Amino acid sequence: MVRLSVNINKIATLRNARGGNNPDVVNVALDCERFGAEGITVHPRPDERHIRYQDVIDLSSVVTTEFNIEGYPDDRFMQLVKKVKPHQATLVPDSPDVLTSNAGWNTKEHGSMLSDIIAELKSEGIRTSIFLDPDESMVSSAVSTGTDRIELYTESYARNYENNREKAIEPYIRTAAAAHSTGLAINAGHDLDLENLAYFTQQIPYLSEVSIGHALICDALYFGLENTIQLYLRACGHYR
Ligand SMILES: CC(=O)[C@@H](O)[C@H](O)COP(=O)(O)O
Ligand SMILES: NCC(=O)COP(=O)(O)O
């Protein structure tokens, strides 16, 4: 079964909209775990548009499943991650002004920088994952960085799923097979939802974890958070 890590960025978006503490990000994370989530993911961006750095600190002392912090490894991110020591840090190549994550790492070009960052995180006992496009030519240089895992950036899969899912999944199957053959563990995320998730988890063998936020939180508006997490767990192969 594929582990489901719930990304609660958008809970913080809603909270920040009115300036108070409703919804309470910490309480929602605890409820997500109570409803079956096997991890909590947050992505503190430099402008703190949703998850704030203080949220990460507050969450670190209460999350009892796996805590995954995503972000670009600038100094502030690295200080926070080394202070909090989450189970996993997922490095993404986002520039501060992007609307959302929009690419994986060019591990050929940035291998040396990533290697140093990954060594620093692993020396703190933190499992590392790096965001990767479904491009098998990037796998060998990903291995050279020393990362524990890759996270397949699933935006193009999600965008093309409805039109031709067999074609959309192909590069992911190839990249996952290449990564698995090197011993890398495989995560996936971005734009996964209740329509496209089950096919992805069925077609990509040896997938360790998916992290899902935007669509899951939107679905919770209609189905409720507990029911929605159960639906996503089912799509991850639980209860099969
Ligand atoms: C790395 C990734 O694909 C997502 O986890 C990202 O965290 C989404 O960020 P926003 O919630 O800011 O769109
Ligand atoms: N790493 C992907 C993630 O955490 C959530 O992405 P999304 O589901 O909000 O697109």
Side-chain angles (χ1 to χ4, degrees), residues 76-137:
R76 194 177 178 196
F77 177 86
M78 290 298 285
Q79 280 168 25
L80 176 71
V81 169
K82 290 195 287 184
K83 175 186 174 81
V84 158
K85 293 183 178 34
H87 295 87
Q88 178 174 268
T90 300
L91 307 179
V92 295
D94 291 5
S95 56
D97 58 350
V98 290
L99 173 66
T100 186
S101 305
N102 58 11
W105 287 100
N106 180 331
T107 51
K108 298 171 186 169
E109 198 175 306
H110 299 112
S112 169
M113 181 269 281
L114 285 169
S115 299
D116 294 344
I117 295 281
I118 286 164
E120 198 176 338
L121 293 171
K122 289 176 80 167
S123 72
E124 302 280 345
I126 300 164
R127 187 176 70 216
T128 61
S129 181
I130 59 173
F131 216 42
L132 207 69
D133 292 317
D135 176 355
E136 57 197 298
S137 74

Side-chain angles (χ1 to χ4, degrees), residues 7 10 41 70 131 151 189-192 211-215:
N7 182 312
K10 301 302 165 0
T41 291
E70 298 183 331
F131 216 42
E151 176 171 336
H190 202 93
D191 286 341
L192 293 173
S211 44
I212 305 177
H214 193 88

Side-chain angles (χ1 to χ4, degrees), residues 50-240:
H50 40 53
I51 289 289
R52 296 171 180 146
Y53 288 74
Q54 187 57 46
D55 291 325
V56 178
I57 293 165
D58 296 344
L59 286 162
S60 68
S61 55
V62 297
V63 167
T64 55
T65 55
E66 285 210 342
F67 194 28
N68 175 38
I69 305 176
E70 298 183 331
Y72 181 83
D74 60 17
D75 290 347
R76 194 177 178 196
F77 177 86
M78 290 298 285
Q79 280 168 25
L80 176 71
V81 169
K82 290 195 287 184
K83 175 186 174 81
V84 158
K85 293 183 178 34
H87 295 87
Q88 178 174 268
T90 300
L91 307 179
V92 295
D94 291 5
S95 56
D97 58 350
V98 290
L99 173 66
T100 186
S101 305
N102 58 11
W105 287 100
N106 180 331
T107 51
K108 298 171 186 169
E109 198 175 306
H110 299 112
S112 169
M113 181 269 281
L114 285 169
S115 299
D116 294 344
I117 295 281
I118 286 164
E120 198 176 338
L121 293 171
K122 289 176 80 167
S123 72
E124 302 280 345
I126 300 164
R127 187 176 70 216
T128 61
S129 181
I130 59 173
F131 216 42
L132 207 69
D133 292 317
D135 176 355
E136 57 197 298
S137 74
M138 289 292 168
V139 169
S140 59
S141 36
V143 175
S144 306
T145 68
T147 188
D148 298 299
R149 299 192 178 185
I150 61 170
E151 176 171 336
L152 292 172
Y153 173 45
T154 47
E155 188 273 338
S156 66
Y157 165 73
R159 178 163 28 87
N160 296 304
Y161 175 82
E162 206 169 317
N163 186 36
N164 184 338
R165 71 183 194 176
E166 292 78 11
K167 191 164 183 297
I169 197 93
E170 264 176 359
Y172 293 87
I173 292 173
R174 285 200 304 274
T175 307
H180 181 68
S181 69
T182 69
L184 278 172
I186 301 161
N187 295 348
H190 202 93
D191 286 341
L192 293 173
D193 64 24
L194 277 179
E195 293 300 316
N196 62 41
L197 178 58
Y199 185 68
F200 192 88
T201 59
Q202 289 158 5
Q203 297 300 315
I204 305 289
Y206 29 79
L207 186 61
S208 297
E209 173 186 293
V210 290
S211 44
I212 305 177
H214 193 88
L216 188 151
I217 301 303
C218 292
D219 288 335
L221 297 174
Y222 289 94
F223 308 129
L225 187 56
E226 181 169 10
N227 191 26
T228 299
I229 287 175
Q230 291 295 311
L231 291 170
Y232 275 82
L233 285 168
R234 185 182 302 276
C236 285
H238 295 244
Y239 325 120
R240 269 184 201 149

